[in-house]
Amino acid sequence: MTHTIAGKIAFITGITGQDGRYLAELLLSKGYVVHGLVRWDAAPVDPRLVEMGVVLHDGDMIDALNITGIIKAVQPDEIYNLAALSHVRVSFDTPGSTFDINAKGTLNILDAVRVLAMEERVRIYQASSSEMFGSSAAPQNEDTPFHPCSPYGVSKLAGYWLGRIYRDSYNMFIANGILFNHESPTRGADFVTRKITRAVAAIEAGQQERMTLGNLDSIRDWGHARDYVRGMWMMLQQDTPDDYVLATGKAHSVLEFVTLAFEAIGVELEWRGEGVDEIAVNAKTGKTVITIDPQLFRPKEVHYLLGDASKARTKMGWQPEIRFEQLIEEMIKADRREILSVLEETNDDGDLWRKAG
Ligand code: NAP
Ligand code: F7E
């Protein structure tokens, strides 16, 4: 049977996050009615979400009654469970709430659908993560053993297994998307890519002299969030529920990312020193622009993540369209524009910045 998409109802948890926003845009463009969960104590929600037509509901992933009530009221066809405490290093400081939100929160969604007897109607996307692979050898795919290295990774693994158990036990349509790192101009400012692009734009504008980083040798498979939310949607359009890795299949180090980000503003870096004493200077001016802060190292690091998305490509026809270099350029451009708009608001002379385009 073919589904009519127009008029379908989607419920997105984590709608105020990076992926939530991109996914809402995608689903609205396909004719869905989109509902989103917003924490009652969240920072002011971007008014554009409501302007776009998203219906917002106050709530919290850790409140099972609240989640059940919202699902009963919304009667969704598709649920995208994106809400999470998603910062790996922070999860070491707050392992308890990480578990409550990421593991118990996922259970609250799954069990709400079960107790409301909506198993046949609702399809669920569970935001699983490449962090579940942790120290397993790269490249990682759906058959790679899980060896998480952080409370975040373990909490996501709990959500993943709950999804599989509910799928098998109650015949529910639940898909785990095992997504590798994906970024965008709306990536949270504490994740390394956005931290870098914001700092590079601020250094170029003379608003900041240097930035600090942690482990430069970490290797990640970085894609663009726009490509990945398309994959989430595709997972829920398949005939049968399954689990899929989404990744670009290309690995880059943090050092490589920061080098290309500076290149995007015409600055060549020269690296000096080693370990915690390593610094990068602007090759032209000799000014130090990067230093290492050991506080940014993690108690346990995931060194090498590189995904193999062959299954998603073969079974669903998914593949990423935005290249690594394009991603960096787009992020830098957006951060330059943000600085320009602040300069304009404060009546500063933003001439230098008009090239940001
Ligand atoms: P994000 O930007 O950190 O967004 C997380 C969202 O969860 C925010 O909307 C946040 O709301 C919400 N949230 C946190 N605690 C909540 C609670 N107790 N109740 C209700 N909402 C709560 O994350 P993202 O990058 O968009 O990622 C989306 C999902 O994919 C997450 O589950 C993440 O773990 C997973 N994932 C991400 C990546 C990636 O590279 N981006 C890769 C693999 C998996 P507030 O605005 O109120 O904080
Ligand atoms: O770190 C290193 C850091 O915080 C990437 C989340 O979306 O993707 C994300 O998790 C690497 C790590 O992302 C800094 O040690 C160096 O090795 O940007 P990140 P993450 O930990 O990979 C996965 C797939 C998720 O599921 C998560 O939700 O960069 N690094 N210096 C740094 N990291 C940060 N944050 N800040 C630094 O200064």
Side-chain angles (χ1 to χ4, degrees):
M1 195 181 85
T2 46
H3 298 283
T4 318
I5 285 174
K8 265 195 180 184
I9 300 170
F11 175 49
I12 304 176
T13 72
I15 195 144
T16 56
Q18 170 188 258
D19 292 2
R21 173 65 189 272
Y22 278 101
L23 181 65
E25 278 174 10
L26 176 77
L27 297 181
L28 287 167
S29 76
K30 290 184 181 295
Y32 280 71
V33 176
V34 177
H35 294 253
L37 180 73
V38 181
R39 272 203 277 205
W40 68 270
D41 61 344
V45 175
D46 186 341
R48 279 171 298 182
L49 269 181
V50 179
E51 284 161 25
M52 278 159 52
V54 176
V55 185
L56 298 176
H57 301 263
D58 281 340
D60 198 305
M61 288 298 291
I62 61 175
D63 186 333
L65 292 175
N66 162 260
I67 294 293
T68 308
I70 294 172
I71 293 176
K72 187 174 178 201
V74 168
Q75 291 286 308
D77 299 289
E78 295 174 8
I79 297 178
Y80 295 86
N81 182 31
L82 309 184
L85 190 152
S86 76
H87 200 288
V88 174
R89 203 201 56 74
V90 171
S91 79
F92 285 97
D93 299 332
T94 60
S97 47
T98 301
F99 255 77
D100 288 345
I101 299 165
N102 299 4
K104 177 70 179 6
T106 301
L107 184 59
N108 291 341
I109 296 273
L110 301 176
D111 214 51
V113 172
R114 186 184 69 83
V115 299
L116 291 168
M118 292 170 71
E119 303 97 316
E120 285 195 15
R121 175 193 173 106
V122 186
R123 295 182 168 205
I124 302 174
Y125 171 84
Q126 169 57 18
S128 294
S129 166
S130 54
E131 276 292 308
M132 301 185 321
F133 295 124
S135 55
S136 265
Q140 295 99 359
N141 65 22
E142 295 80 3
D143 298 323
T144 303
F146 298 118
H147 286 294
C149 294
S150 64
Y152 171 80
V154 180
S155 71
K156 281 289 177 183
L157 195 49
Y160 165 91
W161 277 115
L162 284 164
R164 289 192 60 158
I165 288 163
Y166 270 62
R167 179 165 80 204
D168 296 344
S169 309
Y170 306 117
N171 201 22
M172 287 166 65
F173 193 114
I174 299 164
N176 278 297
I178 309 175
L179 272 47
F180 282 64
N181 298 53
H182 46 280
E183 321 292 314
S184 74
T186 57
R187 180 60 142 155
D190 288 335
F191 297 92
V192 76
T193 55
R194 183 81 196 288
K195 178 175 168 182
I196 290 171
T197 58
R198 286 182 91 206
V200 166
I203 290 169
E204 188 187 26
Q207 295 188 332
Q208 184 175 326
E209 280 197 2
R210 59 182 66 167
M211 67 181 303
T212 53
L213 286 173
N215 185 2
L216 296 171
D217 299 325
S218 274
I219 293 179
R220 291 289 182 273
D221 177 333
W222 279 296
H224 195 298
R226 197 184 295 283
D227 281 331
Y228 288 55
V229 300
R230 182 167 34 85
M232 294 176 188
W233 173 76
M234 290 171 90
M235 285 180 214
L236 295 199
Q237 312 315 309
Q238 303 304 303
D239 289 338
T240 49
D242 207 342
D243 306 324
Y244 298 90
V245 159
L246 298 186
T248 69
K250 298 200 172 68
H252 302 276
S253 67
V254 172
L255 189 138
E256 208 178 327
F257 190 104
V258 75
T259 304
L260 286 176
F262 272 100
E263 262 177 44
I265 60 157
V267 171
E268 195 191 326
L269 296 180
E270 206 176 280
W271 294 92
R272 298 178 183 162
E274 272 175 31
V276 294
D277 296 322
E278 190 165 12
I279 59 166
V281 300
N282 178 330
K284 202 159 154 199
T285 63
K287 277 191 184 167
T288 301
V289 286
I290 301 170
T291 58
I292 301 301
D293 179 357
Q295 302 264 24
L296 295 167
F297 295 156
R298 294 171 180 187
K300 191 166 165 64
E301 178 64 278
V302 169
H303 296 286
Y304 196 162
L305 290 177
L306 169 64
D308 164 13
S310 321
K311 179 176 170 186
R313 192 175 56 246
T314 321
K315 280 192 74 182
M316 304 197 299
W318 177 86
Q319 52 187 7
E321 288 169 2
I322 305 167
R323 285 180 300 105
F324 181 62
E325 294 76 13
Q326 281 175 295
L327 167 71
I328 296 178
E329 269 166 35
E330 187 186 326
M331 291 176 74
I332 294 270
K333 215 170 173 178
D335 283 320
R336 279 169 148 183
R337 263 201 307 268
E338 200 168 303
I339 289 179
L340 174 62
S341 68
V342 173
L343 287 177
E344 281 180 346
E345 260 172 39
T346 55
N347 280 333
D348 205 330
D349 177 6
D351 275 357
L352 228 185
W353 290 92
R354 303 205 187 277
K355 65 184 172 183

